[in-house]
Amino acid sequence: MRSFQGPSSIPQRGSAFIPFIFMVLLGTGVCAAQTKIAIVAGANPVEQLAANDLASHLHTLYPSATFSIGTAAADATAIYLGTAQDLPARYAGSVKGEMDSADSYAVKVIDPHIAVIAGATPRAALFAADALLEKLGFGFYLSYSTNPPPRTSPFSFDGWQLHDAPTAAERVIFDWHNFLSGCSTWNLVDWQHWITQASRMRFNAIMVHAYGNNPMYSFTFNGQTKPTGYLTNTKYGRDWGTEHVLDVRKMIGGSLFSGPVFGADASLPDSAAPPRDSERVQAAESLMQGVFQFAAARGMGVTFALDVDTESANPQNVIHTLPASARIATHGFQLVNPDTADGYAYYRAEIEQLMKMYPQITQLAVWFRGALNSPWRGITPEEFPAAWRAEYSSAIEANPRLRHDPDAPSMFAIGKIARAFRKALDETGHSNVTMAAGSWRFDYLPSADVFMPRGVALMPLDYDYAFPSDPVQERLRVIGRHRSVIPIVWAQHDDREFSGRSYTPFAGLGSLLRWSNSSGFGVIHWTTRPLDLFFKNVSDQVWNASFDETLDVTAGEMALRTFGAKAQDLGKRYLLDWIYDAPAFGRETSDRFLDQFVDESNEAIGARLRLALLARMTPLAQNAAERDWIGYYQDWEHYAQDVFQAQTALQDSYAAQKAGNLQAARSAMEAANPKAAIEAYVRAIRHGDTSRGEKGILITLNLRWLPYFKAQRAALGMDPLQVEFAPTYQEPLAQGPGHYTFDFSPADRPIDVLGTSELGAPVQEFAPGSPCPSGIEVSAPVDLAIGNMARTVLPSGAYRMKLNMPAGAKVQVRSGSSSQTVTSASQIDLQASGGKVHFTLAPAAGPARVCGLTLQALTQ
């Protein structure tokens, strides 16, 4: 037990604990008592944080009370807060029996003047304070918090009795770097809010994942540094379908943005030139250092998932500094053999530099692709070094069930990397850092269980939402008897159900985890609002006092705190209808936001019923916050339905065009109104605090959905195709890269932006802000092939082209055997074939600048 300090003149009851005292002024305005939140001298910063948070929230609940820090009289009302072992002995016995796990806690009233808030650890003491505040009426959700109505009664300990312990030891929240709508665009304040809300929901660890191109980590070995890519923003970085725009402020909803580029501050260059590798790494690492420091300050664990198998995670410039004896060749790619002295030195350098950069890491997860198509995941026994082949053969003899398991070779090899990482951690003074191995789905688990070192947890990512199924439960149950398994469930899906409602939480999650012998669970997500109900339910389900809490209970409590007491019943009905039946749609992992079939008529009935509930709730709201939340869901419903209406019309137009009925195709497009959907989304996210994730979704709607409507209208001759020639930026290291860049006209219409990589001709900046700020300098013949927007097809036929050039400029346009000199006022008719219009630009009277063009299909 730690020692306590206090003025010797104060009796023991008043001297055992020091600071965090607040004075409660009762209804008469006279100081009736002093209430002290007392923590041990030299208390852990997490305990200090708990005391501060408690004092702040109690003042919100009792606004007539005055809270001050100082010593209290011997007979003062006191709250003793800390770990059970540090409580005064006369109070410790009342709670120690309930501290049966690392995160367990208890709140006890000893007498009308003494209460105890105790945790098994400092973090548990913080959980205790937050759980007490929830019991007193505060609401803590992923994207927001709520306050109960202020109390006019005197402060008392009424209701201050609770104790709890988790049924899942590991409770991990995992926002995945990738998209503009996820943590890739967060600033430190966004990370801090996320961590704070997760902690208040009693998650005990955060998790981040670094693809090999992520600039938040690089390392140097043998004089060579691993190349990195970008923290994605709307100008640089292309991971997983990220599209670019010249100025986000010109999009629909652009008034929500303060500058031309949207992204984390750490991603924004100091100049117009792309930031250098070293600048990107320094900025990203500085950001993440702040993130991990903040998590540690709340007692949160930090799991760092380090990609090991992708091409960018195996930097060839570094690997080629190793002797051939330390390398493994596979499909023309070089990998590092961790069983050699030189190879181990490579892995040790990687881990040593990682831990020096981020000493707050508590768990290192070896991460690899789910498909067998990466360098390490695709390795075969025939490519193994000779010593490995013999070892692998013996292992298969001992485990014949793996003989035909396609995951076995790669798990054998990656298991050796895990051993090297473990050795490096131990040798560099980080033996307290645990390890895990993670990937998509559950198929790799049997092989990983055999080949991963003892003590390495397995973290399967439930890509197919299969965790409750009998085969998965049985597989986890068997492995979980002897190895820690932490399944990661999805709150939303980046490949198919991203922008609508959240997934519906698994019923009986606590029981599923217990039966499968899982030591905990994680949740992967990208956005925050509107995932709040999902997160609150799954977090509550894994504690004794709320074990397997039904969604009905969680929704009722959320409705009370969000919509108010008068609208609680209707609000509960709405939230349940929403999470079970509202549409879930869209993806973030390709150039196209919606590539699945949608049915407007199937969704419209449910939307009308939900909107009717919201309409009944509106007059019941008692304050602006309650009305604002009702307004948010109303606008969200209109957004979702407008998306379905517009997408259904686009589908109908495609079908009619394919059938040769162009009149019907055009009629369908006349009915499509994607702008209305985007404007509805803007209205929705203006309620409350607009998150950076919501801004990312807004960009997706503008860049990965709206252009396909423009392209279809151009293909049908309803609108001209507008093209600008301007520099564009690709990312060689990006995975599943986005391909397109756009600008927007004053009428909110997307404009296709083509640069050097798209045109195959040099594009340069001329005079920013001028009528022709960038384009092609035609000083010699330039062959061009222009297709429809977003690489869709221009139907064969006649098109009328107008070049965007400065006044007085002239060029020759050659197409087939014809040639015509044109000016900025001229038009020329061309034929499209093979999905594109092909022509050559040549000087007519000296060099000329061409800044873009328009193409209008002639009547088909």
Side-chain angles (χ1 to χ4, degrees), residues 612-624:
L613 284 172
L614 291 166
R616 293 170 61 190
M617 291 163 58
T618 300
L620 302 178
Q622 299 299 294
N623 55 53

Side-chain angles (χ1 to χ4, degrees), residues 346-669:
Y346 167 92
Y347 288 110
R348 175 176 166 138
E350 186 175 10
I351 297 307
E352 187 171 21
Q353 292 174 50
L354 175 68
M355 295 306 301
K356 183 178 181 180
M357 179 61 60
Y358 303 125
Q360 298 82 15
I361 292 173
T362 57
Q363 183 176 65
L364 176 64
V366 180
W367 204 265
F368 40 90
R369 299 296 296 167
L372 305 179
N373 57 5
S374 65
W376 277 113
R377 286 290 268 150
I379 198 169
T380 65
E382 292 74 25
E383 295 169 312
F384 287 170
W388 286 20
R389 288 196 292 271
E391 183 183 348
Y392 180 73
S393 179
S394 296
I396 294 300
E397 288 298 322
N399 299 275
R401 67 187 184 281
L402 300 182
R403 189 176 305 279
H404 301 293
D405 187 335
D407 292 289
S410 61
M411 289 302 95
F412 173 85
I414 295 174
K416 289 184 172 292
I417 298 176
R419 286 183 174 83
F421 283 178
R422 178 73 271 168
K423 181 181 178 182
L425 287 168
D426 293 342
E427 289 181 353
T428 56
H430 302 288
S431 57
N432 60 321
V433 175
T434 62
M435 285 193 62
S439 187
W440 289 256
R441 302 183 176 90
F442 301 90
D443 299 338
Y444 74 97
L445 293 182
S447 291
D449 185 36
V450 169
F451 293 122
M452 287 293 162
R454 182 176 298 178
V456 173
L458 300 181
M459 302 184 83
L461 196 59
D462 186 16
Y463 181 87
D464 297 316
Y465 221 58
F467 171 65
S469 68
D470 289 344
V472 169
Q473 286 281 300
E474 185 60 38
R475 178 170 290 181
L476 296 175
R477 182 177 176 84
V478 170
I479 296 173
R481 292 190 178 111
H482 56 267
R483 184 189 292 273
S484 178
V485 181
I486 307 168
I488 300 174
V489 302
W490 298 57
Q492 62 190 134
H493 207 297
D494 57 337
D495 279 337
R496 51 181 176 264
E497 287 147 338
F498 191 82
S499 180
R501 63 169 171 85
S502 71
Y503 274 134
T504 305
F506 292 132
L509 176 64
S511 293
L512 289 168
L513 292 168
R514 177 177 288 172
W515 195 90
S516 62
N517 291 320
S518 298
S519 57
F521 77 108
V523 182
I524 185 174
H525 71 114
W526 289 264
T527 61
T528 51
R529 188 168 63 170
L531 308 180
D532 302 281
L533 180 56
F534 178 97
F535 270 92
K536 186 58 179 169
N537 180 254
V538 297
S539 63
D540 282 355
Q541 285 200 57
V542 295
W543 288 80
N544 282 329
S546 51
F547 187 71
D548 281 352
E549 180 174 284
T550 63
L551 199 51
D552 182 79
V553 171
T554 314
E557 293 178 351
M558 182 173 168
L560 172 64
R561 289 165 168 79
T562 304
F563 304 125
K566 291 188 175 182
Q568 180 182 11
D569 290 342
L570 290 172
K572 172 183 170 181
R573 285 175 56 189
Y574 172 77
L575 290 174
L576 289 173
D577 285 354
W578 179 86
I579 203 166
Y580 281 118
D581 193 47
F585 55 91
R587 65 182 301 178
E588 282 278 69
T589 50
S590 74
D591 288 319
R592 199 157 191 154
F593 170 62
L594 271 174
D595 59 3
Q596 67 261 62
F597 181 83
V598 304
D599 184 355
E600 176 194 7
S601 62
N602 188 49
E603 298 291 343
I605 297 174
R608 285 196 294 270
L609 294 174
R610 292 190 300 274
L611 282 167
L613 284 172
L614 291 166
R616 293 170 61 190
M617 291 163 58
T618 300
L620 302 178
Q622 299 299 294
N623 55 53
E626 293 168 6
R627 288 189 289 273
D628 203 40
W629 273 110
I630 294 170
Y632 165 77
Y633 281 105
Q634 287 173 324
D635 286 327
W636 187 96
E637 291 286 356
H638 288 299
Y639 150 67
Q641 288 310 300
D642 287 348
V643 166
F644 271 61
Q645 183 277 331
Q647 186 67 20
T648 298
L650 182 62
Q651 292 168 175
D652 291 345
S653 181
Y654 286 153
Q657 182 188 29
K658 185 176 181 180
N661 189 342
L662 299 185
Q663 182 177 352
R666 294 187 184 104
S667 295
M669 289 309 298

Side-chain angles (χ1 to χ4, degrees), residues 30-111:
V30 178
C31 178
Q34 290 185 340
T35 302
K36 176 174 66 176
I37 302 177
I39 60 175
V40 66
N44 184 288
V46 179
E47 295 168 285
Q48 296 177 14
L49 175 65
N52 277 322
D53 278 359
L54 182 65
S56 173
H57 283 81
L58 287 176
H59 177 69
T60 298
L61 187 59
Y62 295 94
S64 62
T66 299
F67 297 84
S68 62
I69 297 176
T71 56
D75 59 349
T77 300
I79 302 167
Y80 290 85
L81 186 153
T83 58
Q85 62 266 30
D86 286 334
L87 290 172
R90 60 190 177 280
Y91 304 139
S94 66
V95 293
K96 278 187 176 178
E98 296 172 359
M99 304 293 108
D100 57 357
S101 66
D103 283 336
S104 58
Y105 58 80
V107 178
K108 294 281 187 179
V109 177
I110 306 301
D111 62 43

